[in-house]
Amino acid sequence: MFKKLMERVDRMLGRGVIDEGLYEELEEALLQADTNVQTTQEILEELRQAVRTEKVTTPEGIKARLQEAIRSRFDQRAESALFRHMVSPTVYLFVGVNGVGKTTTIGKLAKRLTGQGRKVLLAAGDTFRAAAIEQLGLWAERSGAEFVGAQPGSDPASVLFDAITAAKARGCDYVLADTAGRQHTKGNLMAELQKVSRVAEKAHGRGPDEVLLVLDANTGQNAIRQAEEFTQAAGVTGLVLTKLDGTARGGALIGVWERFRIPVKLVGVGERAEDLRDFDAEEFAAGLFD
Ligand SMILES: Nc1nc2c(ncn2[C@@H]2O[C@H](COP(=O)(O)OP(=O)(O)OP(=O)(O)O)[C@@H](O)[C@H]2O)c(=O)[nH]1
Ligand SMILES: [Mg+2]
């Protein structure tokens, strides 16, 4: 969507005029890209200022300005530096709709953490399908992490309880808990997440240290709805943006960020274990215009 925006900017500036019409078109394009009204106005004001004071006249100049304006929206500072690490085991609960990359992200993160000498335990809280449990078990093998699973169909909350108990007994630093993909519109499944969170508290005196909502970068406007529902049900503390290696560039993330101010913790850029990055706003903003 930002590529289109940039093509428009190129076309408009190709005529060599920066007039009200240009700002109007930019406004329309930004709004279409899920940017909220206030942010759009702020970005436009920044551009006007830049054009006035610095005599930005080239398409490249406007582009760079626009890019910087978007990048600065993600200024998260230390928040994103990495996760809070409290008394071990630190528990991260991964949630999200079907197929966004929860299990894969857990596998990648497990690999990263074990590589740093941390003791990690993976909890197969997706008890919906046998294949999901196997998939996580495979990642445990690959990353050298411990693994707690259960029979398909068993209660995900009790899996997490067992996992935390086991992690404490074995001296693990981290518990990474998988959950079944669920549509944010399904009330009963969202309620199940609340129960999973509560059980963590029972097992070690506090809720999950991070509840990470995994979002597929190809998701458009719907990402906002997902964030809304999952935040309400599970108290999301961080975002993971996956499949940034795909064609769509995840512009909807700006909308989610503007609205919820939930820091982006991790980014997935492929299917392999090493395709996990910390979120870098600069890189992200640049990627939007590739
Ligand atoms: N290209 C790309 N593919 C990814 C990325 N992350 C995950 N995938 C792929 O997306 C597909 C789904 O990933 P899963 O990790 O199984 O997703 P999930 O959210 O656990 O899915 P459910 O458990 O069914 O809800 C798999 O084929 C992954 O390899 C990524 O960053 N880039
Ligand atoms: Mg999964």
Side-chain angles (χ1 to χ4, degrees), residues 99 101-104 126 129 132 135 178-181:
K102 295 176 292 299
T103 308
T104 306
D126 179 355
R129 297 170 295 124
Q135 185 191 1
D178 200 8
T179 60

Side-chain angles (χ1 to χ4, degrees), residues 95-106 108 126 129 132 135 139 178-182 214 216 218 241-246 267-272 275-276:
V95 301
V97 303
N98 309 78
V100 287
K102 295 176 292 299
T103 308
T104 306
T105 302
I106 290 172
K108 293 173 181 174
D126 179 355
R129 297 170 295 124
Q135 185 191 1
W139 276 110
D178 200 8
T179 60
R182 65 200 68 218
V214 183
D216 182 329
N218 301 286
L241 193 67
T242 58
K243 311 190 190 185
L244 258 181
D245 51 306
V267 167
V269 293
E271 301 189 79
R272 298 165 310 158
D275 296 330
L276 186 72

Side-chain angles (χ1 to χ4, degrees), residues 121-224:
L121 186 148
L122 305 188
D126 179 355
T127 56
F128 224 62
R129 297 170 295 124
I133 302 169
E134 279 164 31
Q135 185 191 1
L136 193 70
L138 212 67
W139 276 110
E141 260 169 51
R142 253 188 254 164
S143 60
E146 311 253 338
F147 179 70
V148 167
Q151 290 299 91
S154 53
D155 179 13
S158 67
V159 174
L160 185 58
F161 187 90
D162 291 349
I164 293 173
T165 309
K168 284 205 293 199
R170 300 178 203 173
C172 294
D173 302 301
Y174 290 90
V175 173
L176 308 183
D178 200 8
T179 60
R182 65 200 68 218
Q183 289 309 309
H184 51 293
T185 48
K186 294 264 165 65
N188 55 330
L189 290 178
M190 298 308 279
E192 184 185 81
L193 283 183
Q194 287 173 351
K195 190 177 164 203
V196 171
S197 281
R198 275 202 307 273
V199 130
E201 205 165 331
K202 251 205 220 148
H204 74 155
R206 61 177 195 271
D209 298 296
E210 298 277 358
V211 177
L212 298 167
L213 173 63
V214 183
L215 295 171
D216 182 329
N218 301 286
T219 310
Q221 184 79 50
N222 194 258
I224 292 174

Side-chain angles (χ1 to χ4, degrees), residues 232-274:
Q232 247 173 42
V236 175
T237 61
L239 302 174
V240 177
L241 193 67
T242 58
K243 311 190 190 185
L244 258 181
D245 51 306
T247 45
R249 303 303 305 188
L253 188 64
I254 297 172
V256 175
W257 169 254
E258 284 295 331
R259 185 113 160 239
F260 301 98
R261 296 279 153 182
I262 304 169
V264 189
K265 302 280 182 171
L266 294 167
V267 167
V269 293
E271 301 189 79
R272 298 165 310 158
E274 57 271 30

Side-chain angles (χ1 to χ4, degrees), residues 7-35:
E7 280 167 12
R8 262 162 100 169
V9 172
D10 281 345
R11 262 200 320 277
M12 291 181 272
L13 293 172
R15 301 197 307 261
V17 281
I18 298 176
D19 55 11
E20 260 327 287
L22 169 68
Y23 291 118
E24 274 165 29
E25 283 215 48
L26 280 175
E27 179 175 20
E28 194 190 318
L30 281 165
L31 289 172
Q32 273 173 12
D34 294 344
T35 319

